[in-house]
Amino acid sequence: MLNSIKNFFSLSEGNNKKQDISHKNIKEEYKNLKVSNRLKENSNNINNIFEKSTDLIIREFKIASNEKFGAILVYIDNMIETIIFEESIIERLINKKVEYSYPPNSKEYSQYLLGISDNNIYQDLSRVVDSILDGKVALFVDGINEAIIIDINNPPGRNVEEPQSETVLRGPREGFTESISSNITLLRKKIKSTNLKMEEFRVGTETKTKVIIVYLSNIVNPKIVNEVKERINKIDIDFVLESNYIKEYIGDEPSSNFPTVYSTEKPDVIAGKLLEGRVAILTDGTPIVLTVPSLFTEFFLNNEDYYLKFVAATFNRWIRYIAFVISTTLPGFYVAITTFHPELIPTPLIVTLIKTRAGVPYSALVECILMLSVYELLREAGVRMPRALGQTISVVGALVLGQAAVEAGLASTAMVIVIALTALSSFALPSTDMSLALTYPRAIFLLLGGALGFVGLTCGMIILLLRLTSLRSYGVPYLIPMAPIQGKRLLDIFIRRPLLKKFKKSWFIKGRNSTRR
C-alpha cells in the first residue's frame, strides 16, 4: 500500500517536471524568436505563446480595404480603450485613402497614419509579447518583419481618493492609486521641474512589474541613486505584487524590527521628501510609495505639521514622542514598579492598587501578557472586519471584554487602564510601520520589567538605543541628527520652526552643504 502511494506521487512529480521543462522550452524559444514577414507565422507564434489564454484577441483585417494588404491586431481584452481602438485605429487603417505617400503594405504607411515613433517598432518577438502583456496593441502587417506597438492601454482601476490610513484635518486629500501612471502624474502636479527624473525597471520573472525610481537631480546624492539602482537590479524573484516585495529586498538590516524604508500613500509627503534629497520608488499595482534613505525621526513627523501654525505643530510633535515612550515602556514599567518597587508608589495609590488586584489569581506579568494578547486580537479583528463593523467591534469589544474581565477577577482595573493607554499611544504615531514595529520591543521590555524590575528596563533601553545607533539606511545614520549630534538639526526634530526661517539640509543625505528656503 505504501509503495503504491509512493509510486503514485512519484509519477505525478515526474509529470510535473515534464510540464515544467516543456513550459521552460517554450519560454526560451520565444525569447529568441523574431517577427516574421509572414502574417500566418506571426499569428501561429502568438497563439503558441499565449496558449490557453481566452482573453487574447487576434483581429484580422485588410489595410485600406484591399485584399492584398493583410494585417492583424493583437491585444488583451479589457486592457485597452475600446472607443479609441475602433475610431482611431481600425477606421483609419481600413478606410481607403485617395492619396498616400507610402504603399499600404509598408511599415511607414501605418506608422505615420497612426503617429507611431520608431521607438515603438520592435523586431524581437519577446519585446512584442511584453508590450501586449502591458496592455498595448501590436500591429503585424503582412510582408513586414517588424511589429508596430500602439499604446492605448486603459486597464481597470480606481479613482484618486483620500487614503483611509492617512487622513488629515488640513492639507491635500488626494492619495496614490494602483496605477503607476496616475501616481507619476500626481507627483508631476506637485513638482513642476525638469530636474524631476524618473527611471524604469522591470522586476519579477513572471509578473514583470514596472518599478520606477524618482528623484530631483539637482538635490539628490548621486551615490544614493546608484545604490538604489544596484539593489533593484539584484532583485531575483518570480513575482512582485506589492511594494513590500521591493522594500524587503532594498532595505537595510532585514533582521531589524524598525523600518529603514519609509512608505506612504500621499503625494504631498513624497514630494516633500524628494525636495529633501530622498529617492522615491513607485511600484505598479499598489498605492504605497517608498522613499530612501529613511531616518528614525521621519516616522514621528507629519506633513500636516507644515499646514498648521508652528506652535500647534510643535505641541503635536511632543505628543507623538511621549506616545512612543508610553507605548513602548508603560506595560513593562507598570509590572516592574508593582512587582519589585512598590515603595516608589504613593501610599494612597498603592492601597488602591492592592484593592483592585485582590481578586486577581495570578501575577502582574501574566495579567499584562494576557491583556496585551487580547488587545492585539481586537486590533487584528478590527482591521479584518468589514469597514462598517470593524470600528464598532473594536470599541464595543474592548469595553465589554474589559468590564467582564474586571468583574470576573481575571484582570484589575489598573491593568485595563495601562493597556488602554498603551493602545492609544500606539495609534497616536503617524506611521503604521513604526506603530507595528513597537510590538516586539514592548514585549521585551515587559519581560525584562517582570523579571528584573527597573534594572531590566534600564538594560533594555540601553540595548535598544545601541541597536538604533548602529542602524544605517543607505549609509545614513538612522538616528541622525541625534547620533551623530547636529545642533541646529536637532532643534528641528522637537520644534517645528516657522517657514520663514532658513536652515541647512542634512549633509549626510545630500552629500553636500545646501540651505533650504
Side-chain angles (χ1 to χ4, degrees):
M1 182 67 180
L2 182 61
N3 291 331
S4 62
I5 294 175
K6 288 183 178 178
N7 292 331
F8 173 77
F9 281 106
S10 64
L11 284 173
S12 299
E13 185 180 357
N15 291 334
N16 289 335
K17 286 183 178 179
K18 290 179 181 179
Q19 291 178 1
D20 291 341
I21 292 172
S22 63
H23 284 300
K24 184 177 180 181
N25 290 336
I26 292 173
K27 184 177 179 180
E28 293 299 328
E29 285 178 3
Y30 97 76
K31 288 291 184 183
N32 300 322
L33 282 177
K34 301 290 183 181
V35 177
S36 173
N37 57 1
R38 291 183 296 176
L39 198 61
K40 188 65 176 177
E41 184 176 345
N42 289 328
S43 179
N44 291 335
N45 287 333
I46 292 294
N47 279 319
N48 291 333
I49 294 170
F50 287 91
E51 185 183 5
K52 298 180 182 179
S53 298
T54 57
D55 58 346
L56 180 74
I57 307 296
I58 300 179
R59 184 165 177 175
E60 299 183 8
F61 63 98
K62 303 298 180 181
I63 297 179
S65 299
N66 193 321
E67 292 293 332
K68 299 179 181 179
F69 309 137
I72 59 173
L73 287 166
V74 184
Y75 59 94
I76 294 179
D77 196 17
N78 297 323
M79 289 284 284
I80 63 172
E81 189 69 53
T82 306
I83 297 177
I84 298 177
F85 177 74
E86 295 291 343
E87 296 180 355
S88 300
I89 298 177
I90 295 295
E91 289 187 9
R92 288 188 181 184
L93 291 172
I94 291 178
N95 291 339
K96 185 176 181 180
K97 302 293 181 182
V98 178
E99 295 181 0
Y100 40 79
S101 303
Y102 301 99
N105 62 338
S106 66
K107 175 185 68 175
E108 289 77 11
Y109 178 85
S110 300
Q111 181 181 357
Y112 289 108
L113 186 65
L114 301 175
I116 307 298
S117 66
D118 293 333
N119 295 329
N120 292 324
I121 299 177
Y122 301 144
Q123 193 172 12
D124 294 331
L125 192 60
S126 60
R127 299 188 67 181
V128 177
V129 170
D130 290 341
S131 299
I132 295 172
L133 292 172
D134 274 340
K136 301 175 183 178
V137 180
L139 171 63
F140 297 89
V141 180
D142 197 15
I144 301 175
N145 62 346
E146 291 177 308
I148 299 174
I149 305 301
I150 309 166
D151 189 2
I152 55 170
N153 64 331
N154 185 31
R158 64 185 178 94
N159 297 324
V160 177
E161 301 171 351
E162 182 180 6
Q164 296 295 323
S165 59
E166 298 182 61
T167 56
V168 294
L169 296 177
R170 293 189 62 181
R173 302 301 175 92
E174 57 190 7
F176 289 119
T177 68
E178 286 74 17
S179 171
I180 196 168
S181 57
S182 298
N183 296 342
I184 291 173
T185 305
L186 290 173
L187 286 179
R188 286 288 185 187
K189 283 176 58 180
K190 299 292 181 184
I191 305 177
K192 300 177 180 65
S193 171
T194 56
N195 295 314
L196 187 64
K197 308 300 181 183
M198 302 182 184
E199 300 185 36
E200 181 179 326
F201 300 84
R202 293 284 178 167
V203 184
T205 55
E206 297 297 332
T207 59
K208 296 181 178 64
T209 306
K210 185 187 295 185
V211 177
I212 296 179
I213 65 170
V214 186
Y215 57 89
L216 281 166
S217 58
N218 61 327
I219 296 178
V220 75
N221 187 343
K223 293 182 180 179
I224 295 178
V225 176
N226 294 333
E227 181 68 20
V228 173
K229 293 180 186 178
E230 185 178 347
R231 295 190 187 187
I232 293 178
N233 286 325
K234 286 182 178 179
I235 297 176
D236 185 12
I237 191 173
D238 292 337
F239 53 89
V240 175
L241 304 178
E242 208 270 340
S243 59
N244 190 66
Y245 289 78
I246 305 295
K247 186 177 182 179
E248 292 196 15
Y249 272 91
I250 68 172
D252 293 83
E253 302 285 344
S255 60
S256 173
N257 200 46
F258 288 90
T260 56
V261 177
Y262 190 87
S263 58
T264 182
E265 294 185 52
K266 293 185 63 63
D268 58 317
V269 175
I270 296 298
K273 295 192 179 301
L274 290 174
L275 293 165
E276 287 289 335
R278 267 74 166 183
V279 179
I281 300 102
L282 285 73
T283 307
D284 196 15
T286 175
I288 307 298
V289 177
L290 312 176
T291 61
V292 293
S294 176
L295 307 181
F296 177 75
T297 55
E298 280 187 77
F299 297 94
F300 299 92
L301 308 183
N302 194 338
N303 257 33
E304 195 174 3
D305 294 346
Y306 296 94
Y307 308 147
L308 302 173
K309 286 289 187 179
F310 65 93
V311 176
T314 300
F315 180 74
N316 290 341
R317 286 188 181 180
W318 293 349
I319 292 293
R320 294 182 202 125
Y321 288 117
I322 294 172
F324 169 78
V325 176
I326 292 175
S327 178
T328 309
T329 62
L330 182 59
F333 177 82
Y334 174 78
V335 171
I337 199 171
T338 55
T339 305
F340 293 95
H341 313 283
E343 68 277 1
L344 299 178
I345 306 175
T347 303
L349 180 58
I350 196 170
V351 171
T352 303
L353 292 177
I354 292 172
K355 289 180 180 179
T356 58
R357 282 195 47 80
V360 179
Y362 32 72
S363 66
L365 176 61
V366 176
E367 180 188 7
C368 192
I369 292 175
L370 291 176
M371 293 301 294
L372 277 177
S373 301
V374 171
Y375 154 66
E376 293 294 339
L377 179 63
L378 285 171
R379 182 185 62 80
E380 188 68 15
V383 172
R384 304 304 165 199
M385 288 288 290
R387 189 167 298 171
L389 300 175
Q391 187 175 2
T392 304
I393 292 295
S394 297
V395 175
V396 174
L399 292 174
V400 172
L401 286 177
Q403 183 67 25
V406 171
E407 292 180 357
L410 300 177
S412 62
T413 309
M415 183 61 73
V416 173
I417 295 174
V418 167
I419 300 303
L421 282 175
T422 303
L424 288 174
S425 299
S426 65
F427 292 141
L429 300 179
S431 171
T432 306
D433 290 340
M434 181 59 69
S435 178
L436 295 176
L438 298 183
T439 304
Y440 180 68
R442 184 189 301 130
I444 296 297
F445 286 156
L446 175 60
L447 296 177
L448 289 175
L452 302 173
F454 283 169
V455 175
L457 277 178
T458 304
C459 293
M461 291 177 184
I462 293 174
I463 294 172
L464 177 62
L465 184 60
L466 292 175
R467 176 59 176 162
L468 291 175
T469 306
S470 66
L471 289 180
R472 296 289 186 275
S473 179
Y474 285 77
V476 179
Y478 194 55
L479 284 186
I480 188 174
M482 294 182 290
I485 294 177
Q486 290 183 308
K488 293 183 179 180
R489 290 282 298 173
L490 186 62
L491 185 64
D492 295 329
I493 294 176
F494 302 101
I495 299 176
R496 204 282 272 172
R497 294 197 291 177
L499 295 176
L500 295 175
K501 295 281 187 179
K502 299 177 182 178
F503 55 91
K504 292 185 178 296
K505 296 179 182 178
S506 176
W507 182 90
F508 285 90
I509 295 177
K510 294 197 59 180
R512 56 184 181 271
N513 291 323
S514 63
T515 302
R516 188 174 76 177
R517 293 174 175 81

